[in-house]
Amino acid sequence: MEETKIKMADIIAPHFYDIHDDIRNHRYTFYWEEGGRGSTKSSHISVEIPFLLMSNPECHAVVLRKVGNTIKNSVYPQMQWAIDRLGLTNEFRFKTSPHEITFKETGQKILFMGVDDPQKIKSIKLPFGYVGIVWFEELDQFSGMEEIRSLNQSLLRGGSQYWEFCSFNPPKSQNSWVNEEKLLDDADRIVHHTD
């Protein structure tokens, strides 16, 4: 695991070093990362997920997009890139129908799902353990906190600790639910801005 920590410092941008330390020490459950294109927020999160899986052998991860058919050209290749950058490609098995990545040593899974079919989320079956890591990519495309809470009720249960990542471009409208929600105090959430 020490080798992975060293590689993390080489892979993630310096403005994520502090947040990586927060994630590693589980200072928060909810990590909101906002930034424009090129801010490397998705690259950062995608590198954190395999690192967390390897450190928490009972955890599985679920990566969500609002629309399922966006997975094959966005979060799935992003996760492949991250695993390759960590030098771990041979440690994982990659499947595209459905999109899924498995850590060979333990059988832990990274599942990819669109929320346009919420029944699939409710019926996730895992070989062991629990969903301990969730990534909402393009958070602002989801309908609001009610939808996020509902998904969390289906996903974040049965485990001892969780990490939830939400990445998004700052919405232009100040009335956007994301812009309003990120201003609310939540002792278990950090909002990290990059540009």
Side-chain angles (χ1 to χ4, degrees), residues 13 40 44 50 55 89 92 107 109 115 117 129 155 158 161 169 173-174:
T40 69
H44 169 244
S55 303
T89 300
F92 286 84
K109 296 189 177 292
V115 181
D117 187 355
L155 293 168
Q161 58 182 357
N169 296 327
S173 168
Q174 288 304 311

Side-chain angles (χ1 to χ4, degrees), residues 114-172:
V115 181
D116 40 353
D117 187 355
Q119 292 301 0
K120 286 184 180 177
I121 309 262
K122 291 180 181 177
S123 62
I124 290 177
K125 298 285 186 263
L126 298 167
F128 63 91
Y130 66 99
V131 174
I133 305 158
V134 175
W135 177 15
F136 289 91
E137 170 70 314
E138 305 290 358
L139 179 68
D140 53 307
Q141 294 179 357
F142 292 80
S143 63
M145 278 309 292
E146 187 174 326
E147 180 178 29
I148 302 304
R149 286 188 196 99
S150 175
L151 290 164
N152 282 342
Q153 286 176 349
S154 296
L155 293 168
L156 302 179
R157 53 195 166 96
S160 56
Q161 58 182 357
Y162 306 97
W163 291 265
E164 181 172 289
F165 300 98
C166 297
S167 54
F168 57 98
N169 296 327
K172 291 177 183 170

Side-chain angles (χ1 to χ4, degrees), residues 5-75:
K5 288 181 189 175
I6 293 167
K7 288 183 180 180
M8 288 293 280
D10 294 338
I11 295 169
I12 62 175
H15 52 269
F16 289 113
Y17 289 171
D18 288 343
I19 200 99
H20 170 66
D21 189 53
D22 288 348
I23 292 164
R24 190 181 66 208
N25 292 297
H26 201 262
R27 291 196 180 106
Y28 304 94
T29 300
F30 304 98
Y31 295 87
W32 283 34
E33 296 193 13
E34 72 169 336
R37 290 178 185 220
S39 65
T40 69
K41 62 189 181 298
S42 296
S43 296
H44 169 244
I45 293 169
S46 66
V47 169
E48 294 289 354
I49 290 173
F51 175 79
L52 285 169
L53 281 180
M54 294 173 70
S55 303
N56 298 277
E58 290 297 312
C59 274
H60 300 270
V62 173
V63 180
L64 300 169
R65 288 291 310 257
K66 179 66 175 176
V67 179
N69 69 9
T70 60
I71 288 168
K72 69 178 177 180
N73 294 320
S74 62
V75 286

